[in-house]
Amino acid sequence: MKRILFLTMVAILSAGTVFAQKSALKDAKRALGREDLKEARTLIQQASTNPETATDPETWKVMGDIGNKAFDNERTKAMLGQSANDKVMYDGLMESYQPYLKADSLGELPDDKGKTKNKFRKDISGVLRANHPFYINGGVYYNEQNDYARATDFFEVYWNIPALPMFEGQKDAFLLDSTYQTIKYYAIISAISADQNERAVSLLQRASKEPFIENSAYKESDIYELLASQYERVGDSVKFIETLNLGAQKFPESKYFVPNLINVFIRNGQTDKAVEYLDQAIANDPANACDLNSVKGALLAEKGDYAGAEAEYQKALTQDPNCERALENLARNYIIQAQDLKETTATLSNRQQQVENDKKTVELYQQSLPLLEKLEQVTKARDGVTKQEINSVLLLLRNAYYNLSVLGVDKSAQLKVVEDQLDLE
């Protein structure tokens, strides 16, 4: 008899506990109805952490409704021209999101008979569809507060909502236009600004796999440029080069991928590979001969192919006679050859050979002069030119004038003008 009584008491206590938690859920709904959001939050938190109600979809539906009510109250004030608390409004909007997702997820679980009866999906999907545009506003708000991580949260939710399972098969539920594509970019840029590098990489990878919608904010190639840049930022050289290669294949007209690949090969001492990609870049962007042909010329000069280098510099100057890089490099090309010949001549004992070498040396220095003199004019005429840049050109001119004077070609007057500008003692 005592055993039966004891078991009955246990059953009563257990039922009382379940009832208490169910009561917490009901009380939370009542508090929400009278807009006592503080009390509603306290009560629903209790229900969400108790095993008896934590798996009940309604618990999470009510939690989402509480956040949505906080959002809706402030939004109504704003619509009526009253003073609204933006932080409370957008925090409430975000507060509703995850609980709504959990409520829908739990509602999709089959019952004991294997049937799914998600009585909350219609209501939740309606709220999320209506609230969808306001996640942009929340992102902008937090961006203006310089809270870039929080801004990313809002932009990412805006990005996520149309792809939720509850909207599967509803092609007309959202207008996935240029604005939608632009907000993806805002999410990525905000993550980068927040120094959330792994998150930025994840978002960029996701964006690269989704259909791209033309917009006025950015191009599809920008996604791959940012992705490569992020890999470089975190020191993942393998992924950096992989992304550069992928970008070069997908966007051959881009001025980012191939030039960066070329720089990688140059840094790694892979001159032949760099030249190969330079040829590709020149073919893709012949209008950029000043830079591309000049770089190729410099690489050939490093290998001792002065004739090949000269041909590349001349191509650059044919397109752009004022190309500073080509003017300087071609002049250096002649000066280096002249200096090499001078060193060789110093080791000779054959006077006739010395005379012939001196003649060739003079010719090489003289070939550099018109290039350097024009370079001086172009450099001085450029906006924002620095004193250091001008001095660099003047030092080259001084070298050529001095060596010509030593070799019997009087350039003393020109040498003095240059040295006066350099203010040499």
Side-chain angles (χ1 to χ4, degrees):
M1 184 67 178
K2 289 182 179 180
R3 175 178 171 77
I4 294 172
L5 180 61
F6 175 75
L7 291 174
T8 302
M9 290 297 294
V10 170
I12 291 172
L13 288 171
S14 298
T17 303
V18 172
F19 177 78
Q21 294 309 317
K22 290 289 185 182
S23 177
L25 175 56
K26 291 179 180 179
D27 289 344
K29 290 170 66 176
R30 292 192 189 97
L32 174 60
R34 62 177 183 270
E35 298 198 18
D36 186 348
L37 300 188
K38 183 177 179 180
E39 178 68 11
R41 286 186 174 108
T42 299
L43 291 166
I44 203 63
Q45 187 63 33
Q46 293 174 12
S48 71
T49 56
N50 189 278
E52 301 297 337
T53 47
T55 57
D56 185 343
E58 189 173 18
T59 297
W60 300 96
K61 169 64 166 57
V62 171
M63 185 180 288
D65 287 343
I66 293 169
N68 186 57
K69 174 57 72 173
F71 162 70
D72 207 39
N73 286 346
E74 297 304 317
R75 184 166 68 94
T76 300
K77 291 179 186 177
M79 290 172 62
L80 295 175
Q82 300 172 4
S83 178
N85 187 320
D86 288 342
K87 187 176 188 308
V88 170
M89 176 165 59
Y90 295 123
D91 285 353
L93 178 64
M94 186 59 76
E95 180 186 354
S96 70
Y97 180 65
Q98 288 297 339
Y100 276 154
L101 295 193
K102 187 157 186 176
D104 182 68
S105 177
L106 290 170
E108 286 295 292
L109 295 176
D111 58 20
D112 294 338
K113 297 180 181 180
K115 295 182 179 181
T116 300
K117 298 178 181 179
N118 191 347
K119 62 181 180 179
F120 299 112
R121 170 164 280 194
K122 184 177 180 181
D123 190 19
I124 290 171
S125 64
V127 173
L128 288 178
R129 188 186 296 113
N131 288 352
H132 184 234
F134 295 98
Y135 285 95
I136 299 178
N137 299 2
V140 171
Y141 168 77
Y142 273 104
N143 212 295
E144 291 174 349
Q145 308 305 310
N146 297 324
D147 189 343
Y148 302 115
R150 188 69 167 159
T152 306
D153 293 339
F154 279 87
F155 292 137
E156 190 173 0
V157 168
Y158 177 86
W159 183 351
N160 289 341
I161 287 176
L164 293 174
M166 69 182 74
F167 298 113
E168 188 175 354
Q170 301 181 42
K171 293 183 178 180
D172 299 328
F174 300 93
L175 179 62
L176 303 185
D177 56 5
S178 59
T179 298
Y180 181 67
Q181 188 70 44
T182 299
I183 300 307
K184 296 181 185 182
Y185 182 69
Y186 288 173
I188 292 163
I189 294 300
S190 296
I192 292 172
S193 299
D195 290 325
Q196 294 182 324
N197 295 319
E198 290 185 9
R199 185 180 190 183
V201 166
S202 177
L203 293 174
L204 284 161
Q205 289 174 335
R206 176 183 171 188
S208 71
K209 295 172 184 175
E210 295 180 353
F212 182 78
I213 303 167
E214 293 296 330
N215 63 90
S216 59
Y218 69 116
K219 307 184 295 295
E220 186 177 8
S221 59
D222 292 342
I223 295 173
Y224 293 83
E225 288 186 22
L226 286 169
L227 185 55
S229 178
Q230 281 302 110
Y231 282 134
E232 185 177 32
R233 188 177 187 182
V234 300
D236 192 337
S237 58
V238 174
K239 288 290 186 181
F240 174 59
I241 295 174
E242 283 180 3
T243 308
L244 289 179
N245 274 305
L246 179 60
Q249 293 169 19
K250 289 179 67 71
F251 311 101
E253 75 286 354
S254 171
K255 295 182 180 180
Y256 176 84
F257 301 105
V258 171
N260 272 282
L261 273 173
I262 292 166
N263 287 334
V264 169
F265 293 133
I266 291 173
R267 287 199 301 267
N268 293 339
Q270 298 173 279
T271 303
D272 291 340
K273 198 74 176 175
V275 169
E276 176 187 334
Y277 273 82
L278 272 167
D279 287 336
Q280 177 185 332
I282 291 166
N284 292 337
D285 188 17
N288 195 21
C290 176
D291 289 330
L292 297 176
N293 288 95
S294 294
V295 172
K296 184 179 177 182
L299 291 176
L300 293 174
E302 282 184 11
K303 295 172 65 177
D305 185 359
Y306 298 116
E310 180 177 347
E312 296 301 323
Y313 297 139
Q314 292 292 3
K315 289 175 186 177
L317 291 171
T318 296
Q319 186 186 95
D320 180 5
N322 293 328
C323 176
E324 292 181 37
R325 175 177 283 186
L327 287 168
E328 179 177 345
N329 285 357
L330 183 53
R332 287 183 181 277
N333 202 44
Y334 292 134
I335 290 173
I336 290 170
Q337 292 179 75
Q339 290 172 339
D340 288 346
L341 196 54
K342 275 180 64 179
E343 291 176 6
T344 300
T345 303
T347 65
L348 297 176
S349 58
N350 186 311
R351 182 55 187 162
Q352 183 177 352
Q353 187 64 57
Q354 289 177 340
V355 171
E356 290 178 5
N357 281 9
D358 285 346
K359 183 179 179 182
K360 290 179 184 177
T361 303
V362 167
E363 289 174 358
L364 287 167
Y365 278 122
Q366 286 180 326
Q367 283 178 290
S368 73
L369 278 184
L371 298 165
L372 292 173
E373 288 166 351
K374 182 168 186 177
L375 178 61
E376 180 189 12
Q377 296 172 1
V378 173
T379 302
K380 287 180 176 178
R382 174 161 44 87
D383 290 338
V385 66
T386 65
K387 179 69 173 175
Q388 184 178 359
E389 289 176 310
I390 294 173
N391 284 348
S392 178
V393 178
L394 292 175
L395 286 169
L396 285 172
L397 265 173
R398 179 175 180 267
N399 177 290
Y401 288 145
Y402 173 80
N403 280 287
L404 282 170
S405 295
V406 170
L407 290 165
V409 180
D410 186 13
K411 293 292 181 179
S412 56
Q414 293 92 329
L415 181 61
K416 184 177 186 308
V417 171
V418 167
E419 290 183 338
D420 287 345
Q421 293 182 72
L422 287 167
D423 194 23
L424 297 174
E425 293 183 0

